[in-house]
């Protein structure tokens, strides 16, 4: 079974950040508060699906779907 990423979440779905699959992007995401063990919830998507808005660490965070695909999750 392949790992799921934040990009796979449906609106309102929650998950726990497990790890990252892109070392360069992981530093940027860590600085934005996407820490392993943090709960993330998909709040909304733009009309064409990109970008997305996440709730993480008590605030809303907007990012591209390609960036979200590098954040691996566990349910």
């Amino acid at each position: 079974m392949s790992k799921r990423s934040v990009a796979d979440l449906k609106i309102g779905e929650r998950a726990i950040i497990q790890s990252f699959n892109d070392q360069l992007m992981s530093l940027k995401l860590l600085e934005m508060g996407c820490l392993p063990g943090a709960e993330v919830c998909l709040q909304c998507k733009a009309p064409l699906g990109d970008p997305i808005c996440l709730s993480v660490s008590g605030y809303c965070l907007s990012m591209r779907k390609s960036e979200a695909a590098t954040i691996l999750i566990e349910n």
Side-chain angles (χ1 to χ4, degrees):
M1 184 169 113
S2 64
K3 298 248 182 193
R4 288 185 62 201
S5 72
V6 170
D8 298 323
L9 293 175
K10 294 178 179 27
I11 294 176
E13 189 176 3
R14 297 179 182 276
I16 304 295
I17 296 174
Q18 185 176 24
S19 62
F20 306 98
N21 64 8
D22 182 337
Q23 289 293 343
L24 293 175
M25 183 60 67
S26 67
L27 180 59
K28 177 181 175 183
L29 294 167
L30 288 167
E31 290 172 346
M32 292 192 301
C34 296
L35 304 172
E39 184 180 68
V40 63
C41 178
L42 180 62
Q43 296 295 317
C44 59
K45 294 181 180 182
L48 296 176
D50 197 19
I52 62 174
C53 180
L54 305 170
S55 174
V56 62
S57 301
Y59 62 94
C60 289
L61 179 63
S62 181
M63 69 175 63
R64 293 181 179 109
K65 201 168 182 180
S66 61
E67 295 170 336
T70 67
I71 307 172
L72 302 178
I73 57 171
E74 58 186 48
N75 285 358

